[in-house]
Amino acid sequence: PETITIQELANRMSERAVDVIKFLMKQGQMHKITDVIDADTAQLVAEELGHTVKRVAESDVEEGLFDTPDTDENLSARPPVVTIMGHVDHGKTSLLDAIRKTNVVSGEAGGITQHIGAYQVTSPLGGKITFIDTPGHAAFTAMRARGAKVTDIVVLVVAADDGVMPQTVEAITHAQAAGVPLIVAINKVDKPDANPQRVRTELLQHSIVVESMGGETLEFEVSAKTGQGLDDLLEGLQLQAEILDLKANPERSAEGTVIEAKLDRGRGPVATVLVQRGTLRTGDIVVAGAEWGRVRALINDLGANVKEAGPSVPVEVLGFNGTPEAGDRVAVVESEARAREITEYRARQKRERATARMGSAGRTLVDMMR
Ligand code: GDP
Ligand code: MG
């Protein structure tokens, strides 16, 4: 059921909370400022205090913002979005760096690579692959907890000289819980004490059966240090993506997820957004969580300004009025008024949840009347 705190109700009416409490007291209800009352009671109070009530349900505000993918027409293939997971020191960061380097054509844009939280490369087979450049289970679970599904494929990195370790198992658990397919990268095979076969055997104990052992999970021996096997890994990712038959409609208004966001001193709020459906363009009005803005500039992973970004493309978005949070879902809306309605509603909800958490720790009626 819909509820509201007395404080919030008072705020919205621009009345004093104490007057709301007094009114409720006359009705025989004792409340303190942080108490939550139901929508009917709130409406009664508001009308009694001379206000017109317009009840807005979550469904009204959020409706139509995110269509189900099934209703999409004009589907076309989109690149896979890949997250690298694995035990600490097994080479996640090194692999991300090595993959990116092999793909940056020397001399291109001065070879400038910019960290924006995600990047796109081209596999030797010609297909594009998007990597989320923030390895780690925390990011993965945080996004999932917020309802954002961004990863299509997990690359599980296991160091050949160390084998399956606790965070390897954790990564397997996360990927399975999310229903995301795994590809195994047996890393550090350049090391003298590397033992890839042991990794394969250990994975068996966690019901990961790799191809060379008769299973379905693709595995690649790689070295982030020498670059060995990286092309094979990229090809494998493209093949896996083709099996998954990943599609999106580029012809609709954009939807996506915030991968990273920060407040930049010169540029203001900067959000790295992974576009998941539709095409994001400069000039679009976007909402992300409780923030909105008009897209002033889009900057790709090479630091270049672009006019638009389609499905699976990560871009920095400039123009937000506030800094959204990683994991916030992004949608383009038709007007500033609509953007305000949605974000004001969400901001209120956020405040109410925070106040409700404060609960009994809040001020009492007695405090209010002092
Ligand atoms: P992360 O914690 O999983 O991100 O691991 P890092 O990428 O930080 O790598 C941990 C250490 O392993 C660093 O000292 C890397 O230089 C080293 N390392 C990573 N990949 C390789 C590799 O393929 N071969 C060798 N010899 N060392 C590697
Ligand atoms: Mg790292």
Side-chain angles (χ1 to χ4, degrees), residues 12-30:
R12 282 195 222 174
M13 298 185 297
S14 302
E15 298 279 356
R16 297 188 310 160
V18 64
D19 292 331
V20 176
I21 290 169
K22 275 184 189 159
F23 173 81
L24 286 166
M25 213 152 70
K26 276 189 228 145
Q27 310 284 310
Q29 293 190 37
M30 295 298 288

Side-chain angles (χ1 to χ4, degrees), residues 85 153-158 163-186 196-220 240:
M85 294 171 87
I153 304 170
V154 165
V155 170
L156 180 68
V157 182
V158 191
V164 171
M165 298 300 277
Q167 286 166 276
T168 319
V169 179
E170 205 181 290
I172 295 170
T173 311
H174 285 323
Q176 284 174 342
V180 177
L182 273 179
I183 286 189
V184 177
I186 304 174
Q197 203 49 37
R198 194 187 86 194
V199 173
R200 294 186 176 91
T201 315
E202 288 174 351
L203 284 171
L204 273 181
Q205 292 161 18
H206 300 279
S207 42
I208 303 285
V209 190
V210 295
E211 255 196 329
S212 67
M213 314 257 309
E216 311 236 297
T217 305
L218 299 180
E219 101 263 34
F220 299 92
Q240 182 74 59

Side-chain angles (χ1 to χ4, degrees), residues 87-94 187-188 190-191 223-225:
H87 196 72
V88 64
D89 283 345
H90 279 199
K92 297 180 292 295
T93 305
S94 304
N187 190 32
K188 307 198 189 185
D190 61 281
K191 286 189 130 183
S223 166
K225 190 178 173 187

